[in-house]
């Protein structure tokens, strides 16, 4: 089963507003990654945060990680219409035997111009 | 989409037919992966390969087969044993298994 669960499933905002998406997971992780997928396209890696990090920034993106709550959030500031996409979190289990990423079900973000 | 290509973009399969999806990368990555994505869902791992001539089953390997004869190529065959093959198939690669994955543009498989 999917380990990551994103919340909300869908989000609609106006251009210029901030968008926040949340991800919860179940087991101990080595790192957590966020990916973006435009409709009908492959995924693009956005940012990786390690289990010993609490916050990370990349341009207009801010990711937080709370390992005690097994949750992460992705904040996109000053959103643009081009940010419209699905956003997925993916976790890599700590000590996992299969060396795989486990993806959540995604948040569909629509930014209205 | 980086240096990973997938072909074809759309593929149609008839009942009882095996079809092969192509994935090629020129990133000199050791590890390659195949995922399946159903509408409104996340990705599920079908197979992955850490190095040439080696591959491991993922969560949903039944009805699929792969080969890794060359570092650059990791084709996926959807066999007639896969009863519900309609999905979007994504290939990815990474320098090593633990590192960031880079995705191809995907192949959409439809059953006639």
């Amino acid at each position: 089963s999917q380990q990551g669960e994103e919340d909300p499933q869908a989000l609609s905002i106006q251009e210029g507003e901030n968008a926040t998406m949340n991800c919860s997971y179940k087991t101990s992780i080595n790192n957590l990654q966020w990916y973006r997928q435009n409709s009908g396209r492959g995924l693009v890696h956005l940012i990786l945060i390690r289990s010993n990090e609490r916050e990370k920034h990349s341009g207009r993106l801010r990711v937080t990680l709370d390992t005690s709550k097994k949750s992460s959030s992705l904040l996109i500031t000053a959103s643009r219409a081009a940010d419209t996409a699905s956003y997925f979190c993916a976790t890599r289990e700590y000590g996992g035997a299969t060396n795989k990423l486990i993806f959540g079900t995604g948040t569909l973000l629509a930014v209205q111009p | 989409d980086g240096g990973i290509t997938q072909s074809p973009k759309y593929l149609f399969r008839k009942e009882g037919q095996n079809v092969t999806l192509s994935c090629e990368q020129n990133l000199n990555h050791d590890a390659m992966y195949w995922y399946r994505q159903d509408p409104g869902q996340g990705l599920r791992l079908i197979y992955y390969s850490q190095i040439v001539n080696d591959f491991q089953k993922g969560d949903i390997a039944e009805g699929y087969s792969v080969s890794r004869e060359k570092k650059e190529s990791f084709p996926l065959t959807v066999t007639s044993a896969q009863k519900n093959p309609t999905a979007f198939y994504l290939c990815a690669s990474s320098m090593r298994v633990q590192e960031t994955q880079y995705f191809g543009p995907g192949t959409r498989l439809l059953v006639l």
Side-chain angles (χ1 to χ4, degrees):
Chain A
S1 64
Q2 298 287 341
Q3 170 164 250
E5 297 284 340
E6 279 94 339
D7 169 54
Q9 288 188 331
L11 179 61
S12 180
I13 60 174
Q14 297 293 318
E15 213 167 18
E17 293 180 340
N18 295 343
T20 300
M21 289 158 269
N22 302 297
C23 169
S24 59
Y25 57 92
K26 297 176 182 175
T27 64
S28 296
I29 62 170
N30 186 289
N31 63 61
L32 186 145
Q33 304 177 38
W34 284 91
Y35 287 81
R36 184 186 75 211
Q37 183 181 34
N38 289 86
S39 180
R41 304 294 297 274
L43 276 69
V44 175
H45 182 260
L46 295 176
I47 196 164
L48 179 152
I49 187 165
R50 302 190 190 282
S51 60
N52 61 352
E53 297 176 311
R54 292 295 167 259
E55 188 171 311
K56 202 162 184 179
H57 297 254
S58 176
R60 293 184 296 113
L61 305 180
R62 173 179 168 246
V63 170
T64 62
L65 179 64
D66 187 335
T67 53
S68 66
K69 295 181 179 178
K70 291 187 167 58
S71 69
S72 174
S73 68
L74 171 67
L75 168 67
I76 303 174
T77 60
S79 63
R80 305 166 182 168
D83 294 329
T84 294
S86 291
Y87 291 82
F88 295 89
C89 68
T91 54
R92 189 179 298 284
E93 285 185 12
Y94 179 76
T98 52
N99 291 319
K100 63 181 182 182
L101 287 179
I102 302 174
F103 285 84
T105 52
T107 292
L108 177 59
L109 173 65
V111 181
Q112 310 295 335
Chain B
D1 297 336
I4 304 177
T5 58
Q6 290 184 244
S7 61
K9 188 172 182 177
Y10 297 96
L11 185 58
F12 298 91
R13 194 191 90 162
K14 297 179 182 178
E15 290 287 338
Q17 186 181 40
N18 293 354
V19 292
T20 297
L21 286 62
S22 169
C23 178
E24 304 277 332
Q25 53 98 0
N26 62 3
L27 300 170
N28 199 33
H29 286 171
D30 284 329
M32 298 186 74
Y33 315 80
W34 274 106
Y35 293 92
R36 169 181 172 138
Q37 186 179 31
D38 292 283
Q41 299 293 316
L43 278 63
R44 292 184 290 168
L45 183 65
I46 305 172
Y47 269 98
Y48 69 101
S49 167
Q50 299 189 61
I51 200 166
V52 175
N53 294 322
D54 173 78
F55 49 84
Q56 306 293 329
K57 291 183 179 180
D59 296 319
I60 55 167
E62 186 174 351
Y64 300 97
S65 66
V66 293
S67 63
R68 186 86 187 276
E69 297 176 0
K70 297 188 300 182
K71 188 175 187 177
E72 303 80 19
S73 178
F74 191 40
L76 173 74
T77 296
V78 184
T79 74
S80 58
Q82 174 48 246
K83 299 306 180 188
N84 184 24
T86 296
F88 190 49
Y89 290 86
L90 286 159
C91 178
S93 71
S94 63
M95 185 64 72
R96 282 170 283 280
V97 164
Q98 294 288 342
E99 299 185 13
T100 298
Q101 295 182 19
Y102 296 87
F103 284 79
T107 292
R108 190 166 299 280
L109 177 61
L110 300 166
V111 177
L112 297 178

